Amino acid sequence: MKVNSMDNLFQQLNEVLIISFYVLLIVGPLLIAVAFLTYLERKVIAAVQYRKGPNVVGMFGLLQPFADGVKLFSKETIIPASANKIIFVLAPMISFALSLVAWSVIPISENLVLANINVGILYIFAISSLSIYGVIMAGWASNSKYAFLGALRSTAQMVSYEVSIGFVIVCVLLCVGSLNLQDIVLAQKNYWFFIPLFPMFIVFIISALAETNRAPFDLPEDESALVAGYFTEYSSMLFAMFFLGEYSAMILMSSLGVILFLGGWLPPFDYYVFNLVPGFIWFFLKVGILLFIFLWVRATLPRFRYDQLMRLGWKVFLPLSLFWVFITATVLVFFDILPNFYG
Amino acid sequence: MNLFFFLFSAIIVLSAIAVISSRNPVHSVLFLILAFVNAAGIFVLAGAEFLAMILLIVYVGAVAVLFLFVVMMLNINLEEIKFQVKKYFFSGLFVGLILLAELFFSFSNLDLIRNKNVMVTNSKNLTNTHQIGSIIYTEYFFVFQLSGCILLVAMIGAIVLTLRKRPGVLRQTVSKQIDRKKEDSIEIIKFKNNNAN
């Protein structure tokens, strides 16, 4: 009996090791993607502003993100004397870890997914609502006015825009009838959801900008008013974790948009030639398009004022998305095309 | 997964103790959040993935955030709390005993509760999200709507309590800005300048 239970324990540990290996397979490429996203951002903004951007380190400046990374690694970690040390160190770790764990359920292609769970979309939604804690803990633990104000702003903003993202997701779920991310993609076999749900696609993109604290909603890091917002007091590796977390959250939101509205790994037309291209390439192409929108918006639009941001969230997006949920449900019931998963 | 069950439950118990014993109220709330997250983990192990995610979204993602907000904003004095411990000791003990008695009651009648829910048995291999949805929107439809109404009333009450127009606060009114015409805001006055030339 005892031997049996020990065997069982070893089996479980073995499973844990195998899963850890898969996790590394996801996290490694993701971090490289984050590094090149920062490079891409600087290049895109430079192109918009008619500059060259990074072009010194490596060919076309391609090694610039790694040079920046090494710089951040080798700097001194400064913890303010009046800060709450444990929470101060914990906050960026939470921020970074949460932006990575959501990737476990993202289906990159038909078979390429770590955990194909029934409630995938709710899982991502839950993780993105948890990511508020990294921000608010950082703001509080820094014991600094700028950081605290930045954290309060950021939290209010994320809570507000989560509501409209929730309704957008409900719209898509009404058309799918399942919370599984693979089912959501497969339901778009005939047409991608951004065609019938176009207004929701726009609301989703704008809310995603607000949710990831990106321009024009980057109020938490409003330089002219709040120094750097909630990470004012952070330096070196702890700062880098916030930075990596923000960029990987951007990639995550883009892939969520691709899964919900742009048909995930499905090719644009169901022709033979398009089907030859492996699914993950289509997926990354679409993610790339959405990421470009993120960068394009940052380079072109001025920052929102705080009350304008709140009004947009609560008085425009919330009623609009609620109304659209109602319309979607009505149309589905009226034409009797409500998806039925009862078999 | 036995290993994970013990891991999650150990963390829940330890963080629950930390909630009531830590001196800093912000730490208490953070430990409470840790307990919530691990409770969600136990829900997942029990196969109730929908409940786990709702626990995370509603309690951790929304309720606890507001809780943390309030605790951070209030500058809580530790000496004052120590004084109040004596004051609230008996009422707190009373509430705690009632909760404990309820737990005992529901655990001793576990078979009864299970038997009542036999009708939810998994006949068509549905996910538990579908099962919960089908039972809430058929069997308990009115109770569910009623609880929604109670929440709505509470929300309206909170808004009514806090909404007030304070003088001296600058607010942007979009409709006013759009309604503004050239005639309302600009007046062209012609005047003769005698000194010119």
Side-chain angles (χ1 to χ4, degrees):
Chain A
M1 190 66 200
K2 195 151 196 187
V3 176
N4 205 354
S5 74
M6 279 306 274
D7 262 5
N8 199 14
L9 189 69
F10 278 124
Q11 210 176 350
Q12 285 178 11
L13 282 176
N14 199 20
E15 246 173 79
V16 170
L17 277 180
I18 290 172
I19 292 174
S20 318
F21 176 68
Y22 286 138
V23 168
L24 281 183
L25 279 187
I26 292 182
V27 170
L30 179 67
L31 290 180
I32 293 172
V34 166
F36 281 110
L37 181 59
T38 62
Y39 169 77
L40 187 72
E41 175 170 38
R42 294 173 66 177
K43 275 289 188 195
V44 167
I45 293 177
V48 171
Q49 295 167 347
Y50 214 67
R51 296 185 280 117
K52 274 187 177 165
N55 63 351
V56 176
V57 191
M59 209 178 20
F60 304 116
L62 271 172
L63 294 178
Q64 183 69 41
F66 300 104
D68 289 342
V70 169
K71 184 200 80 177
L72 279 171
F73 265 116
S74 56
K75 281 204 168 183
E76 184 193 355
T77 305
I78 300 169
I79 297 179
S82 60
N84 189 320
K85 288 184 186 57
I86 298 170
I87 298 183
F88 187 83
V89 176
L90 213 59
M93 290 179 182
I94 287 180
S95 218
F96 181 56
L98 282 176
S99 67
L100 295 183
V101 287
W103 280 92
S104 55
V105 296
I106 297 278
I108 293 164
S109 86
E110 190 136 24
N111 313 313
L112 263 178
V113 54
L114 181 61
N116 184 11
I117 62 174
N118 283 332
V119 287
I121 190 82
L122 283 182
Y123 174 78
I124 290 184
F125 195 58
I127 296 297
S128 85
S129 63
L130 284 184
S131 60
I132 294 172
Y133 285 108
V135 173
I136 197 168
M137 281 162 72
W140 182 78
S142 299
N143 210 349
S144 142
K145 287 189 187 81
Y146 296 124
F148 191 57
L149 286 174
L152 287 183
R153 274 189 179 184
S154 175
T155 315
Q157 173 180 338
M158 284 159 106
V159 169
S160 313
Y161 279 85
E162 218 152 65
V163 180
S164 55
I165 285 195
F167 280 121
V168 170
I169 290 176
V170 170
C171 272
V172 173
L173 293 183
L174 278 173
C175 304
V176 178
S178 165
L179 297 171
N180 185 310
L181 290 171
Q182 302 240 351
D183 288 344
I184 292 174
V185 172
L186 289 174
Q188 302 178 54
K189 202 114 206 175
N190 299 322
Y191 50 86
W192 297 351
F193 282 148
F194 87 98
I195 300 167
L197 298 173
F198 189 71
M200 287 300 99
F201 180 53
I202 301 296
V203 170
F204 179 82
I205 287 187
I206 299 175
S207 303
L209 288 175
E211 182 78 9
T212 48
N213 291 328
R214 293 287 300 177
F217 305 114
D218 54 348
L219 285 164
E221 354 173 338
D222 187 352
E223 304 96 338
S224 47
L226 289 175
V227 189
Y230 58 87
F231 50 74
T232 303
E233 306 290 339
Y234 282 86
S235 58
S236 77
M237 213 39 226
L238 295 177
F239 170 77
M241 277 184 182
F242 272 125
F243 197 71
L244 292 173
E246 184 183 326
Y247 279 81
S248 101
M250 261 167 78
I251 304 180
L252 179 76
M253 277 319 234
S254 304
S255 15
L256 188 61
V258 166
I259 288 165
L260 289 176
F261 291 102
L262 297 180
W265 65 83
L266 298 172
F269 300 103
D270 199 9
Y271 293 137
Y272 176 69
V273 187
F274 286 123
N275 284 330
L276 280 182
V277 181
F280 67 89
I281 290 188
W282 285 119
F283 184 81
F284 290 136
L285 267 179
K286 294 171 189 174
V287 171
I289 290 170
L290 285 190
L291 280 175
F292 177 73
I293 293 179
F294 268 75
L295 307 180
W296 187 16
V297 164
R298 174 167 177 200
T300 25
L301 295 180
R303 187 177 288 132
F304 264 57
R305 213 175 55 208
Y306 189 66
D307 59 324
Q308 291 171 333
L309 169 91
M310 281 298 166
R311 193 181 53 232
L312 184 71
W314 289 105
K315 292 189 179 170
V316 179
F317 282 175
L318 179 62
L320 180 70
S321 49
L322 196 56
F323 180 68
W324 205 265
V325 169
F326 180 72
I327 293 282
T328 312
T330 314
V331 167
L332 288 175
V333 171
F334 188 76
F335 292 106
D336 203 23
I337 45 175
L338 203 63
N340 192 356
F341 267 69
Y342 282 79
Chain B
M1 285 281 235
N2 250 334
L3 187 70
F4 284 104
F5 175 76
F6 287 117
L7 182 71
F8 286 144
S9 42
I11 295 176
I12 288 182
V13 172
L14 288 179
S15 55
I17 292 169
V19 169
I20 49 173
S21 62
S22 60
R23 312 189 110 233
N24 191 331
V26 173
H27 290 177
S28 294
V29 179
L30 290 175
F31 276 119
L32 183 68
I33 291 158
L34 186 63
F36 276 148
V37 172
N38 284 285
I42 285 196
F43 267 131
V44 169
L45 292 186
E49 69 264 10
F50 182 75
L51 283 182
M53 293 308 144
I54 291 298
L55 181 75
L56 280 185
I57 293 170
V58 176
Y59 285 95
V60 184
V63 176
V65 169
L66 298 180
F67 212 59
L68 197 61
F69 243 69
V70 173
V71 173
M72 280 178 179
M73 300 290 251
L74 296 175
N75 217 346
I76 294 175
N77 192 347
L78 284 177
E79 290 301 310
E80 215 168 284
I81 291 177
K82 270 180 204 154
F83 169 71
Q84 283 175 341
V85 164
K86 284 173 199 158
K87 205 166 130 195
Y88 291 121
F89 182 74
F90 284 105
S91 49
L93 195 70
F94 183 64
V95 173
L97 278 178
I98 289 181
L99 281 177
L100 197 65
E102 277 176 352
L103 268 184
F104 269 119
F105 181 72
S106 44
F107 271 103
S108 55
N109 291 320
L110 213 54
D111 296 335
L112 200 79
I113 298 166
R114 284 219 177 106
N115 285 336
K116 212 183 164 193
N117 290 352
V118 167
M119 55 196 169
V120 211
T121 45
N122 209 345
S123 54
K124 287 172 192 163
N125 207 10
L126 295 173
T127 66
N128 66 43
T129 318
H130 282 106
Q131 288 174 36
I132 291 173
S134 59
I135 199 142
I136 281 183
Y137 283 99
T138 53
E139 215 54 36
Y140 299 101
F141 179 71
F142 288 109
V143 185
F144 184 62
Q145 293 290 323
L146 192 69
S147 60
C149 284
I150 292 170
L151 285 177
L152 183 68
V153 169
M155 193 173 85
I156 293 173
I159 292 172
V160 168
L161 282 176
T162 50
L163 187 71
R164 57 191 165 139
K165 281 245 154 79
R166 272 173 296 181
V169 175
L170 293 175
R171 267 220 177 87
Q172 183 181 16
T173 322
V174 176
S175 54
K176 251 188 195 168
Q177 287 181 333
I178 294 173
D179 272 351
R180 216 165 103 142
K181 290 186 186 70
K182 199 171 87 182
E183 295 85 61
D184 304 337
S185 40
I186 301 177
E187 193 182 354
I188 298 172
I189 301 170
K190 285 187 177 171
F191 67 99
K192 270 185 185 165
N193 193 343
N194 291 328
N195 297 335
N197 299 322

